[in-house]
Amino acid sequence: MPAVHPPVLRDGAPLGCEEIAAVAQERARLEIGPAARARLENGRAIVTRILARGERAYGVTTGLGALSDVALAPDELARISRNTLLSHACGVGPPLPAAETRAIMAALVNDMCHGNSGVDPSVVDQLVAFLDRRIDPVVPGQGSVGYIVHGAHIGLALTGIGEVVHDGRRRPAGEAIAAAGLRPLDVGPKDGLSLGNGTRCVTGLSCLVATEAARLADWADIVAALSFEALKGQTDAFDEAVLALKPHPGLMAVGRRLRALLAGSAMAARFRGHRTQDALSLRAIPQVHGATRDQLAQARRQVETELGSATDNPLVVGTPEAYRVISNAHPHGQSLAMAADLTALAVAELGSIAERRIARLLNPAPSGLPAFLVSRPGVNSGLMIVQYVAASLAAENRRLAQPAVADNFVTSALQEDHLSLGTPAALEALQAIANTWRILAIEYLCAAQAIEFLPALPLGRGTAVARRLLRSDVPALEQDRFLSPDIARVEARMRAPGWLETIEASLGPADASG
C-alpha cells in the first residue's frame, strides 16, 4: 500500500533540502503538480520532434561519451536506453542505506520536473510510485565519479531488473513491482541516459548532508554548553558586546544560543571568577562552532541552487515548434563537490573541539573532578576509554576532511577528462557527520556525569533540560558498566525528533535560532 504521510508537492518551484530529506526519510510522500507535468510533457514532445526529424542529438540519436559521433539507426533508439542502464549499473561494495537511495530518487524527480531532460513522464511516475510504495532499489555504494552509476542502478530497478528492498526484505525488482500493483518501466529514447546523468545523485545525498549537519550544529552548542558548566567555565567570553566586535554571523548566532542555554545558571554564577581565562576549547566555542555554521550556510546555498537547476546532458529548451537541444556540462558537480568537502571539514572541526572538551572532563588536573568521572577510580576505569573512541573518530574525520574535489581522473577515452568526485565527497561528508554525532554523544554522557560531582545547583535554562532528558534514559555511572549501548542510545536520541525540540522550546524562538 502507498505510504500515508503528508505530501511534498513538486510543481512549479523546485524542492528544497528539507523536502528532499523528508521524502528520503519517509516523513513525507512526493506528488507531482500540474505545472511540473506540463513541463515534462513539453520536454518529451521536443524529443519526439527530434526523433521525427532524424536530427543528430547527443544521447538521443547518437552513442554516449566517446561514442558520441556514432549515429544510431531508428530501431536502436529505444534499445540504447535499456543498454545504457545495463552497462552503467556496475557499482560495487555494500549498498547505500535506504534513505540515501531515496534521496537520490527524489532529486531525480525534482530535476526531471524542470522539463529540460526530455524524459517520458512515465519515468517520473515510476520513481514517485517506488518512493510512495517504499520500493527501495539496492544500489552499491561505490563506483561513482560524481554521476552515472547510482542512477543507473535505480533506473534498472524501475524496469524490473536487479534487486530492491520491499516489505522489509530484499527481493527481485520485478517481483516487488508486481506485488505493488505496478508494471515494469519501458524506457524510450533518452530515458536511460537521463536516469544516470546529471548531478541528481550528489544533489540528493547533499540534501541529507545539509539537513543532518544543521541538526548536528544545534546539538553541538547544547552539549558544549553543558560541558562548559561542568568545567566551571567563565561566561565573560560569551559577552554580547565582546562578540559583537567580531561580527561573523555564525559566531554571533552561537553566542546568542550559549547565553540562552546558560541563562539563570546558578552553577555558572557559583564559579564566576574561578579562573582568569578558560582553555580555548571552552572560550572559543562561539568562534569554532560559529565558523562551522557559516560554512554550512554557504554549502546549503550551493545545494539549494543545484535543486533549482536542470543538470542533464543534453538539455532541451523551448517548445516543439521552436526548440533547441544543447550538449552542455551541467552534469559536472563541481559546486556540490566543493560544498560536500567544505561540510566534511566544518563538521570535523565540531568533533575535534568536542574531543578536546571530553579530554578535559576526564582529566582531574584541569577539571578538578575525580579521574575519569567515577567515584572509585582504580577499581573502576569509568569513562576513560570513551575518550579513546572520540579520538579515533576525530582522527578518521581528519582523513575524511581531505578534499575529494581536488583529485581527478580521465574517463571515457579522454571525453570526460575532468571529474568532480562529488558523490564520493558527499558520502564522505555523511560519514564525517555520523562520526561527529558519536563524538557529541560521548561528550554529552561525560558532561552529564561530571555534573554529578559538582554542587547541586540549578543549571542553565537549556542545559538543565538537556541534563534531565539524558538522565531520563541513561542513569549516572556508579561503577563500570557496558558503555557502547549508552553511547548508541544517546546518539539515536539526538538524531531523532524529540529531545532537541524540547530543549529549543525551553529557550524561546528568538534565543534558539541559529
Side-chain angles (χ1 to χ4, degrees):
M1 291 291 292
V4 180
H5 291 297
V8 163
L9 183 66
R10 175 52 168 104
D11 201 15
L15 301 179
C17 283
E18 299 292 344
E19 292 170 308
I20 294 283
V23 172
Q25 295 161 354
E26 301 183 23
R27 294 182 283 109
R29 69 180 188 276
L30 182 56
E31 295 181 355
I32 307 302
R37 189 163 295 279
R39 290 177 181 173
L40 285 166
E41 291 170 352
N42 179 76
R44 190 57 176 183
I46 293 174
V47 170
T48 301
R49 182 64 61 91
I50 291 167
L51 297 174
R53 291 182 173 180
E55 296 179 23
R56 174 169 292 220
Y58 171 73
V60 182
T61 58
T62 75
L64 307 177
L67 302 175
S68 59
D69 290 327
V70 178
L72 301 176
D75 64 348
E76 295 176 320
L77 300 182
R79 196 180 344 149
I80 189 178
S81 272
R82 181 179 174 84
N83 286 351
T84 297
L85 296 176
L86 289 167
S87 64
H88 290 32
C90 54
V92 297
L96 296 177
E100 294 176 18
T101 299
R102 292 173 59 84
I104 297 169
M105 294 165 71
L108 271 163
V109 171
N110 176 72
D111 194 335
M112 288 176 173
C113 283
H114 290 300
N116 302 111
S117 291
V119 297
D120 192 285
S122 63
V123 175
V124 171
D125 290 337
Q126 188 83 327
L127 283 163
V128 171
F130 266 47
L131 287 166
D132 201 32
R133 290 162 172 79
R134 299 175 182 170
I135 305 173
D136 301 324
V138 175
V139 180
Q142 295 173 288
S144 175
V145 296
Y147 49 14
I148 296 177
V149 172
H150 295 81
H153 278 276
I154 290 169
L156 206 59
L158 302 181
T159 72
I161 300 173
E163 291 187 306
V164 300
V165 175
H166 183 231
D167 288 339
R169 64 187 180 91
R170 188 163 166 164
R171 61 200 300 195
E175 180 184 305
I177 288 171
L182 303 173
R183 296 179 62 185
L185 176 69
D186 290 323
V187 286
K190 198 176 186 297
D191 294 342
L193 173 61
S194 292
L195 281 161
N197 212 349
T199 64
R200 293 73 168 265
C201 178
V202 61
T203 302
L205 295 173
S206 294
C207 289
L208 297 180
V209 168
T211 54
E212 277 290 296
R215 187 174 185 86
L216 184 79
D218 286 344
W219 266 112
D221 295 343
I222 294 166
V223 174
L226 191 60
S227 292
F228 184 88
E229 278 180 299
L231 289 166
K232 312 177 187 74
Q234 304 302 297
T235 56
D236 284 351
F238 306 152
D239 182 87
E240 185 174 7
V242 171
L243 294 184
L245 298 175
K246 190 173 182 176
H248 292 284
L251 184 154
M252 299 291 286
V254 173
R256 286 193 299 273
R257 285 173 58 77
L258 290 171
R259 290 191 297 272
L261 286 160
L262 296 166
S265 172
M267 187 75 75
R270 164 68 176 78
F271 291 106
R272 185 177 178 85
H274 174 78
R275 65 176 69 90
T276 303
Q277 178 173 272
D278 290 321
L280 279 169
S281 59
L282 297 178
R283 63 185 156 100
I285 295 169
Q287 289 77 9
V288 176
H289 289 203
T292 288
R293 284 182 175 272
D294 287 339
Q295 309 323 305
L296 296 182
Q298 168 61 18
R300 182 182 282 244
R301 282 192 291 271
Q302 298 281 77
V303 180
E304 296 280 1
T305 299
E306 201 77 12
L307 287 168
S309 305
T311 71
D312 210 339
N313 178 40
L315 291 169
V316 296
V317 295
T319 67
E321 292 72 34
Y323 64 84
R324 297 171 68 200
V325 55
I326 308 166
S327 291
N328 67 89
H330 283 354
H332 198 298
Q334 191 80 355
S335 294
L336 290 178
M338 287 186 171
D341 282 341
L342 184 60
T343 300
L345 176 62
V347 300
E349 281 299 285
L350 290 181
S352 176
I353 196 170
E355 186 278 330
R356 291 293 79 209
R357 290 190 294 264
I358 292 167
R360 298 189 76 82
L361 285 163
L362 300 180
N363 187 338
S367 72
L369 301 169
F372 310 116
L373 302 177
V374 69
S375 295
R376 296 178 60 200
V379 66
N380 292 298
S381 295
L383 296 172
M384 179 194 295
I385 306 302
V386 299
Q387 190 250 329
Y388 289 47
V389 177
S392 174
L393 294 168
E396 183 179 340
N397 276 356
R398 288 175 192 154
R399 296 191 295 275
L400 293 168
Q402 300 303 307
V405 75
D407 210 339
N408 195 42
F409 295 89
V410 177
T411 57
S412 195
L414 296 179
Q415 182 72 3
E416 298 183 2
D417 58 355
H418 190 276
L419 306 169
S420 73
L421 281 300
T423 300
L427 291 171
E428 288 177 355
L430 286 168
Q431 185 59 56
I433 289 168
N435 290 345
T436 306
W437 275 121
R438 289 156 195 159
I439 295 171
L440 290 181
I442 290 169
E443 183 185 4
Y444 197 178
L445 285 167
C446 290
Q449 181 67 14
I451 297 293
E452 303 292 331
F453 297 98
L454 293 173
L457 297 170
L459 301 180
R461 187 166 64 193
T463 51
V465 177
R467 178 172 178 256
R468 174 177 58 78
L469 289 170
L470 182 77
R471 283 288 170 258
S472 70
D473 240 24
V474 181
L477 188 70
E478 303 291 342
Q479 60 184 7
D480 284 351
R481 68 169 183 252
F482 187 20
L483 291 173
S484 284
D486 289 354
I487 298 169
R489 187 178 301 116
V490 173
E491 179 196 351
R493 287 291 200 174
M494 294 168 77
R495 298 182 78 152
W499 282 13
L500 176 62
E501 290 70 21
T502 299
I503 297 166
E504 301 288 10
S506 74
L507 307 181
D511 294 330
S513 63

